[in-house]
């Protein structure tokens, strides 16, 4: 909601892409979400105006039960230019970037509760950068924040397993894990169960596979899966989004499942996930429509920013 261009699967892009229009939509989604019981709100510096919009909304409303999460490690560089040809965000897991972005994000305290490494990978060196790990530990000690990582890609479970072992001054550093898990990408199931059993906070992102759970002829590989989702949608009288979200809730019972709704209508449709349960048999059918992580993440990397 904080930047005009991202991975958008749907074909109708006939919306006002001005910053003012996005801000108005963001505030209406946040207000409606709060009204309907949503309490966790997730953002990042690389989501354009995401942090600024959330902070302004938070200050204005002053709800004492709102829980905010943000991240550090990517910088938004598209500067609201439409059809921006280059990379919209640049990754940098250095101590300098952490210090720079923390200076901005710390203004979200005291509602800020989760501070996450944005897309931890082996390549970025974050898991071995002692100066960065020590600074995260210092932030945790001085603010009481939960320090976390977010993961993406084929080797999410390896990154999570490695991050779980990291200690600073004899204390485990990471408390929360924001992970992609959905009907098509279930390769982290076991590691997520282990995390939840050991008391870590699990936050699921991309529960709708960025919108790929909605029937589309652009994804012929999912035709059989779309049939399953359609049958369940008709049975429970909700959309494929609610079925996919409910699957994540029932199969894992994570602390939070993120909704990537970009307007109030989508939000309301997503929240229908809270109105029914899936049977064990239905869960097993949904387990069977997963794809191989290699296929899933290759496809994900080819989705256009638009
Ligand atoms: N590395 C990371 O840490 C990372 C990466 C990705 C996401 N995240 C977090 O996870 C959140 C969710 O991720 P996401 O937005 O990528 O994933 P998502 O929930 O899998 O997909 C959301 C998209 O699905 C479409 N959608 C949702 N409900 C719909 C409905 N009822 N009808 C039609 N379309 C609908 C919308 O597409 P349109 O907007 O095109 O309509 C929406 O943007 C993000 O907001 C972010 O906070 C974190």
């Amino acid at each position: 909601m904080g930047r005009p261009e991202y991975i958008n699967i749907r074909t109708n892009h006939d919306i006002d892409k001005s910053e003012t229009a996005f801000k108005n939509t963001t505030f209406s989604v946040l207000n409606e979400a709060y009204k309907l019981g949503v309490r966790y709100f997730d953002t990042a510096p690389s989501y354009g105006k995401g942090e600024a919009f959330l902070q302004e909304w938070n200050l204005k409303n002053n709800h004492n039960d709102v829980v905010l999460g943000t991240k550090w490690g990517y910088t938004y560089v598209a500067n609201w230019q439409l059809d921006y040809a280059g990379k919209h965000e640049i990754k940098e897991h250095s101590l300098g970037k952490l210090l720079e972005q923390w200076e901005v994000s710390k203004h979200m305290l005291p509602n800020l509760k989760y501070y996450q490494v944005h897309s931890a990978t082996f390549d970025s060196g974050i898991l071995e950068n002692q100066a960065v790990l020590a600074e995260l530990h210092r932030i945790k000690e001085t603010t009481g924040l939960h320090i976390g990582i977010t993961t993406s890609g084929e080797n999410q479970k390896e990154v999570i397993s490695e991050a779980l072992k990291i200690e600073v001054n004899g204390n485990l550093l990471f408390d929360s894990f924001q992970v992609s898990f959905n009907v098509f990408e279930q390769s982290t199931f076991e590691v997520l169960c282990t995390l939840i059993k050991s008391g870590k906070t699990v936050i699921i992102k991309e529960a709708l596979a960025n919108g790929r759970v909605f029937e589309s002829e652009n994804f012929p590989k999912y035709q059989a899966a779309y049939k399953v989702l359609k049958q369940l949608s008709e049975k429970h009288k909700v959309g494929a989004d609610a079925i996919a979200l409910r699957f994540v809730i029932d199969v894992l019972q994570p602390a939070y499942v993120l909704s990537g709704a970009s307007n109030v209508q989508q939000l309301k449709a997503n929240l229908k996930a809270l109105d029914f349960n899936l049977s064990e048999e239905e869960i097993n059918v949904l387990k069977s429509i997963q794809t191989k992580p290699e296929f899933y993440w290759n496809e994900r990397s080819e989705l256009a920013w638009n």
Side-chain angles (χ1 to χ4, degrees):
M1 289 189 287
R3 59 187 163 185
E5 294 183 335
Y6 186 54
I7 297 164
N8 291 295
I9 311 279
R10 81 196 140 101
T11 45
N12 173 18
H13 297 298
D14 189 18
I15 54 166
D16 182 348
K17 290 190 177 172
S18 68
E19 197 179 310
T20 309
F22 265 65
K23 187 171 169 181
N24 289 338
T25 303
T26 300
F27 275 45
S28 56
V29 171
L30 292 173
N31 286 331
E32 190 66 23
Y34 186 82
K35 200 172 107 192
L36 295 171
V38 175
R39 291 295 178 270
Y40 176 73
F41 298 92
D42 188 82
T43 188
S46 63
Y47 299 168
K49 295 279 174 182
E51 275 197 335
F53 289 172
L54 185 58
Q55 202 177 331
E56 190 178 326
W57 176 82
N58 187 42
L59 277 175
K60 196 169 157 200
N61 290 282
N62 206 21
H63 299 300
N64 60 12
D65 53 353
V66 152
V67 175
L68 306 181
T70 193
K71 321 188 181 86
W72 71 275
Y74 274 86
T75 308
Y76 177 65
V77 293
N79 201 24
W80 216 279
Q81 285 173 65
L82 302 181
D83 300 320
Y84 188 73
K87 275 190 166 213
H88 293 231
E89 48 183 30
I90 307 285
K91 185 169 183 171
E92 183 186 331
H93 282 166
S94 67
L95 179 61
K97 187 51 72 181
L98 169 58
L99 294 172
E100 174 200 317
Q101 294 190 328
W102 172 241
E103 273 310 300
V104 179
S105 302
K106 71 181 185 188
H107 295 290
M108 294 165 82
L109 289 167
N111 291 80
L112 183 68
K113 306 285 185 207
Y114 292 93
Y115 196 52
Q116 309 157 104
V117 179
H118 199 161
S119 208
T121 49
F122 294 122
D123 290 357
S124 79
I126 157 72
L127 300 180
E128 294 165 334
N129 188 327
Q130 297 308 318
V132 165
L133 299 174
E135 180 60 15
L136 289 172
H137 178 69
R138 191 198 65 76
I139 292 172
K140 178 170 165 164
E141 292 287 290
T142 53
T143 62
L145 282 176
H146 300 283
I147 299 294
I149 61 166
T150 78
T151 59
S152 288
E154 231 179 296
N155 65 352
Q156 291 190 104
K157 59 179 178 217
E158 287 82 6
V159 173
I160 294 166
S161 303
E162 206 50 41
L164 256 181
K165 296 185 226 152
I166 293 176
E167 292 185 359
V168 178
N169 294 351
N171 297 310
L172 292 171
L173 180 63
F174 294 114
D175 313 299
S176 74
F177 295 81
Q178 186 179 129
V179 178
S180 289
F181 178 88
N182 57 57
V183 287
F184 300 144
E185 169 34 331
Q186 301 179 30
S187 66
T188 50
F189 179 71
E190 276 84 17
V191 76
L192 289 172
C193 291
T194 308
L195 287 176
I196 291 167
K197 267 195 208 126
S198 60
K200 303 289 182 188
T201 302
V202 165
I203 303 170
I204 298 302
K205 66 181 168 84
E206 306 194 339
L208 304 184
N210 316 106
R212 278 173 281 170
V213 298
F214 294 101
E215 190 164 3
S216 160
E217 55 194 26
N218 294 333
F219 302 103
K221 179 98 197 271
Y222 301 134
Q223 290 315 315
Y226 289 144
K227 262 195 197 154
V228 168
L229 288 164
K230 194 171 175 193
Q231 266 171 8
L232 291 173
S233 292
E234 284 171 1
K235 181 174 167 205
H236 293 284
K237 300 188 174 51
V238 296
D241 51 343
I243 299 293
L245 288 159
R246 187 74 231 177
F247 170 72
V248 176
I249 298 169
D250 283 342
V251 87
L252 284 172
Q253 295 173 321
Y256 301 110
V257 183
L258 298 180
S259 157
S262 53
N263 57 45
V264 168
Q265 199 189 356
Q266 290 184 359
L267 173 76
K268 286 183 171 167
N270 287 185
L271 285 173
K272 291 209 167 132
L274 301 177
D275 297 345
F276 68 100
N277 290 300
L278 292 167
S279 68
E280 211 178 309
E281 197 187 333
E282 290 169 339
I283 289 172
N284 286 336
V285 176
L286 289 167
K287 278 185 177 171
S288 74
I289 65 174
Q290 64 184 296
T291 58
K292 291 212 159 53
E294 189 190 354
F295 170 82
Y296 180 89
W297 289 102
N298 277 338
E299 184 181 75
R300 165 78 165 78
S301 67
E302 280 161 20
L303 298 175
W305 284 54
N306 51 38

